[in-house]
Amino acid sequence: MPLVRLPSLRVRIMVSAAVAVAVLLLSLGGVATRILHHQAEDVMRERLRVAELAASRLDAALAADLGRLRALAGTEPVRPLAVQIFNLGILRLDQDGRVLWYSPGRSGGDAPALAGTLVGTQAFQTALRAGRTAWTDLTRTPAGQPVVAVLEPVPGAGGRPAGVLAGVIDLGARGLEPFLAGTLPGGNTAHVVLVDGDGWVLASTGPIPPYTRDEHPEFFSALIRSGMPQIGRTDDGAGDTLPHVMAAAPLRVAPWAVSVGQAEREAMAPVSRLRWLLILFGAAAVLLAILYSWWDTGAVIEPLARLTRAAQEVARGNLDEPVRVERRDEIGTLGEAFETMRLRLREAREELQRALEEAKRREQEAAALYRVGSEILSSLDLETILQTVVDQARTLLGAEVAVLCLEEDGSLRVAAASDPGGRLQTEGAVETARRPDTALCAGCPAPAVAWLPQRASATLSAGNRTIGFLCAGGQNPVGPVESRLLAGLANQAAIAIENARLYENVKTLAVYEERDRIAREMHDSVAQSLGYMYSRLRLLQDRYPQDREPALWADLDDLARVASASYDEVRWAIFGLRTGRPHRAGLLSALAGYVRDFTTRTGVRAELAGETLGRVALAPEAEAQLVRIVQEALTNVAKHAAATQVWVRVEARGDSVHVVVEDNGVGFEPGAKAGQDGHYGLATMRERAESVGGHLEIDTAPGAGCRVHIAMPLVH
């Protein structure tokens, strides 16, 4: 398939530059769009703040006048009230709408005519019947005056209103416009209107005529009911299709709202100007990018051709031909980088050849270590494994002797040696002060090291602890490769030693796992069956009352007591099996947990008194046996001693841990319990202590309680 011929590099660079600028401008356009959006939102929020400010000012004036109105409580004022809003005055009407008194306002007014106008409103009936403040809708007097009024009920006898106080506002006197005009935003189409809940315009500062119902009645009715300010876009209320932005804020005192409106074209003029500036800037940027790309690509093509030829030479494997591009710009920098790359490729090729040789040598070392590792994994005999390690160390390093020493109790002991000539003295231990930096393997084979001029050693480590050394010596030089190989063998030996230790731990763990399994099976079978048997026996006792079947009831009671006692025995056995494992947090934590559980299970008060053991500890098996002995001693207290108090004391003295279990029970004759009724607990406790190098003593007498003293050797 023939390749499609692409446009020239210059055209592709120009197109790429234009596309890159366009993509950048699109990204910036997204940011600009968000900025324009936020700016438009700021314009809308500014109108809303204007509406809220006008609403708050009008609210304050209405609240002040309404407060003065309520302060009268139906009493005729001595002099006219100083009110801001009620410019037609204040009337006191009785229940039938008759004028009791009238305090005229600035605009004056005909009191009977005003009374007749107010009595016919729904607000008058609401104030009298519901006993709450009511506002009238836009109403006209007989003289044609547009008015609104607030009717405040006057308390009367029996809790019913005796009449109303009416504060009347003459809208025709333009008394509300001053509260709106001071907040008018700039622009020819900006206007602020005051609208009631039915959409009637009560006051206006712009082209919207007052006393009309064209200002979105449904919108303002919902707004006043919700009591929440709103902003948005809408057509002009006069029927014009010119879009407007509108912000409306409801009043708190009266069921009115203040609306700030303006033609969207005028309000958003700054946003529109910014949008066109961004569009023109983007077009100019794309055009400049294309022109600059045309000019600059002419100076790029020829050096790139030379670099292309140089790259082809490098691809053919010719790393000896230099790259020459004499420029002082990015192309020149690229040429220098090409030349540097050529030189480094040549050096890398030479280094690779050396690395291949090193890799072959390491492969041989790895194969040797693999053979050693395989032998280690195939055997659990530590002596055989360590002997294999020293034999391989001597063979692989070309040494004459190899020795592996292990630290034991502050001294080094030769654990394995490879010495075909039999010239090394490997018996006994050497003090740790003599390390491999002064003699072969800490000086273990000291009598024969004088004729070994080349020596090497590696440390055997388990975690952060040094457990021994692997050393080799002979006539051949010992370099980094040999030292690394010796360290690898030392690591293999350390792993083998740790594996042997872990194998012993696994065997111990298997014993505890088997005890746990037996405890679970006893719980799921014997304990459950005894519990069920006890419940059934007690149920049978309930069926056959003692007074009707005394013999049968007594037999059932004996069986129930036997089942209960057997159940307790099984539970104690299960608990003993499960708590014999050494405690991770130490001996004191294990004993503390058991003592608490003992008190909970038996009701016998038990106290543990002990000291911190510091850096000394028991061997795992000794700790496990000690815990089992204490458990057995406490079990005997619960079963046989009839004690009310038991003390467990732990302390470290010398090279031993001493534990004393003492109770205030009935005691017994020493030697009388062994074998009695098949109980061998005391003998078993003594055998447990002696099996791990400890001893147990018992001090007791009838009526004098019992004192069990256990001593276990410490491991430092």
Side-chain angles (χ1 to χ4, degrees), residues 75-368:
T75 304
E76 182 177 0
V78 178
R79 57 180 180 276
L81 294 177
V83 292
Q84 291 180 278
I85 304 297
F86 302 143
N87 52 6
L88 268 183
I90 299 174
L91 292 87
R92 167 71 164 88
L93 305 178
D94 63 8
Q95 293 178 338
D96 298 325
R98 292 188 295 270
V99 178
L100 301 181
W101 53 261
Y102 171 56
S103 176
R106 296 189 304 274
S107 300
D110 184 0
L114 289 176
T117 301
L118 297 178
V119 169
T121 63
Q122 181 67 33
F124 182 78
Q125 301 301 325
T126 301
L128 286 178
R129 293 175 182 174
R132 56 183 173 84
T133 303
W135 289 82
T136 67
D137 297 330
L138 175 63
T139 309
R140 291 186 181 271
T141 65
Q145 288 176 291
V147 297
V148 291
V150 58
L151 303 179
E152 179 71 22
V154 176
R160 295 187 59 197
V164 297
L165 282 172
V168 188
I169 305 171
D170 181 9
L171 300 178
R174 314 287 288 181
L176 299 179
E177 277 74 359
F179 294 96
L180 308 180
T183 58
L184 187 65
N188 297 326
T189 63
H191 59 276
V192 183
V193 295
L194 179 65
V195 186
D196 68 4
D198 292 329
W200 286 97
V201 178
L202 305 180
S204 173
T205 63
I208 305 298
Y211 328 129
T212 62
R213 198 170 181 266
D214 294 332
E215 191 66 12
H216 310 287
E218 295 82 4
F219 169 79
F220 282 104
S221 178
L223 171 74
I224 292 171
R225 286 197 305 271
S226 68
M228 299 297 294
Q230 295 185 22
I231 55 177
R233 291 176 171 84
T234 181
D235 293 338
D236 187 15
D240 190 1
T241 58
L242 183 66
H244 274 57
V245 294
M246 185 172 66
L251 274 67
R252 293 180 292 104
V253 177
W256 304 338
V258 175
S259 172
V260 177
Q262 191 173 11
E264 184 176 16
R265 180 179 58 192
E266 184 179 69
M268 299 298 176
V271 179
S272 299
R273 286 195 296 271
L274 180 58
R275 182 183 297 111
W276 280 110
L277 284 175
L278 291 174
I279 292 173
L280 293 175
F281 172 77
V286 173
L287 181 60
L288 287 176
I290 293 174
L291 294 176
Y292 179 77
S293 300
W294 178 267
W295 172 78
D296 191 57
T297 50
V300 175
I301 300 301
E302 192 277 332
L304 285 179
R306 290 202 299 269
L307 288 176
T308 301
R309 290 191 295 271
Q312 291 171 347
E313 289 295 322
V314 171
R316 284 193 290 267
N318 182 11
L319 298 177
D320 299 325
E321 185 68 25
V323 179
R324 295 185 179 89
V325 177
E326 297 176 358
R327 288 175 63 98
R328 296 184 179 277
D329 56 5
E330 290 81 357
I331 301 298
T333 303
L334 181 60
E336 293 175 0
F338 236 101
E339 175 64 11
T340 302
M341 181 183 69
R342 182 190 66 83
L343 295 175
R344 290 185 177 178
L345 283 175
R346 189 170 63 182
E347 294 174 358
R349 184 170 61 183
E350 297 171 355
E351 182 65 25
L352 181 60
Q353 292 174 350
R354 292 191 294 269
L356 287 174
E357 297 175 359
E358 177 68 16
K360 291 180 181 179
R361 184 166 58 252
R362 290 186 177 232
E363 183 181 0
Q364 296 173 352
E365 296 174 8

Side-chain angles (χ1 to χ4, degrees), residues 625-707:
Q625 295 293 356
L626 179 56
V627 172
R628 292 291 294 128
I629 293 171
V630 173
Q631 291 173 358
E632 184 68 24
L634 291 176
T635 301
N636 289 337
V637 171
K639 291 181 179 180
H640 310 297
T644 61
Q645 178 79 42
V646 61
W647 297 269
V648 180
R649 302 182 184 90
V650 183
E651 63 176 338
R653 295 199 306 267
D655 293 333
S656 302
V657 169
H658 296 264
V659 179
V660 176
V661 181
E662 185 175 0
D663 65 73
N664 63 351
V666 297
F668 59 91
E669 284 290 345
K673 289 289 182 179
Q676 181 178 341
D677 299 328
H679 293 290
Y680 296 91
L682 299 179
T684 302
M685 292 162 59
R686 183 171 285 105
E687 290 172 0
R688 287 183 182 276
E690 293 173 353
S691 68
V692 290
H695 67 274
L696 181 142
E697 298 177 356
I698 297 174
D699 183 12
T700 183
C706 180
R707 183 176 183 272

Side-chain angles (χ1 to χ4, degrees), residues 282-609:
V286 173
L287 181 60
L288 287 176
I290 293 174
L291 294 176
Y292 179 77
S293 300
W294 178 267
W295 172 78
D296 191 57
T297 50
V300 175
I301 300 301
E302 192 277 332
L304 285 179
R306 290 202 299 269
L307 288 176
T308 301
R309 290 191 295 271
Q312 291 171 347
E313 289 295 322
V314 171
R316 284 193 290 267
N318 182 11
L319 298 177
D320 299 325
E321 185 68 25
V323 179
R324 295 185 179 89
V325 177
E326 297 176 358
R327 288 175 63 98
R328 296 184 179 277
D329 56 5
E330 290 81 357
I331 301 298
T333 303
L334 181 60
E336 293 175 0
F338 236 101
E339 175 64 11
T340 302
M341 181 183 69
R342 182 190 66 83
L343 295 175
R344 290 185 177 178
L345 283 175
R346 189 170 63 182
E347 294 174 358
R349 184 170 61 183
E350 297 171 355
E351 182 65 25
L352 181 60
Q353 292 174 350
R354 292 191 294 269
L356 287 174
E357 297 175 359
E358 177 68 16
K360 291 180 181 179
R361 184 166 58 252
R362 290 186 177 232
E363 183 181 0
Q364 296 173 352
E365 296 174 8
L369 289 174
Y370 175 76
R371 288 193 299 271
V372 174
S374 299
E375 293 182 13
I376 290 174
L377 294 175
S378 64
S379 174
L380 291 175
D381 185 358
L382 187 58
E383 259 186 53
T384 302
I385 293 173
L386 296 183
Q387 187 61 46
T388 301
V389 169
V390 293
D391 289 341
Q392 290 291 335
R394 182 183 59 80
T395 301
L396 294 174
L397 269 68
E400 296 186 23
V401 294
V403 179
L404 191 149
C405 301
L406 297 178
E407 286 198 2
E408 291 184 1
D409 299 328
S411 300
L412 288 175
R413 176 183 63 84
V414 175
S418 179
D419 177 22
R423 305 171 199 169
L424 297 179
Q425 177 63 40
T426 58
E427 297 296 331
V430 178
E431 295 299 324
T432 55
R434 300 177 64 187
R435 294 294 183 184
D437 55 354
T438 60
L440 179 64
C441 197
C444 290
V449 298
W451 48 269
L452 301 176
Q454 300 294 331
R455 306 165 189 169
S457 65
T459 303
L460 277 70
S461 300
N464 297 324
R465 181 171 52 90
T466 298
I467 60 175
F469 301 94
L470 175 61
C471 310
Q475 305 298 324
N476 297 330
V478 179
V481 175
E482 289 76 13
S483 298
R484 185 172 62 246
L485 180 58
L486 190 65
L489 291 170
N491 289 336
Q492 296 278 18
I495 291 172
I497 294 171
E498 283 299 296
N499 282 344
R501 182 184 63 82
L502 291 175
Y503 177 71
E504 293 298 322
N505 290 344
V506 166
K507 291 195 298 183
T508 303
L509 181 62
V511 173
Y512 291 122
E513 292 294 338
E514 180 64 15
R515 291 171 60 176
D516 287 345
R517 185 190 65 79
I518 294 172
R520 287 194 300 270
E521 291 184 356
M522 290 177 65
H523 175 271
D524 294 340
S525 58
V526 179
Q528 297 288 353
S529 299
L530 288 173
Y532 176 74
M533 181 186 298
Y534 177 79
S535 300
R536 295 294 297 174
L537 289 170
R538 290 303 184 192
L539 183 61
L540 288 173
Q541 280 186 295
D542 293 338
R543 286 185 181 177
Y544 300 98
Q546 185 176 7
D547 54 351
R548 290 169 49 189
E549 299 286 345
L552 177 60
W553 192 93
D555 291 340
L556 291 174
D557 188 59
D558 290 341
L559 289 174
R561 284 199 299 270
V562 171
S564 177
S566 300
Y567 179 79
D568 290 340
E569 291 283 348
V570 171
R571 295 290 292 176
W572 277 105
I574 292 172
F575 185 73
L577 286 170
R578 285 182 171 175
T579 55
R581 186 190 301 266
H583 201 277
R584 290 184 178 180
L587 175 63
L588 286 178
S589 296
L591 293 179
Y594 188 78
V595 167
R596 285 194 301 269
D597 201 10
F598 174 81
T599 300
T600 302
R601 287 171 174 270
T602 64
V604 178
R605 183 179 176 184
E607 295 181 3
L608 173 66

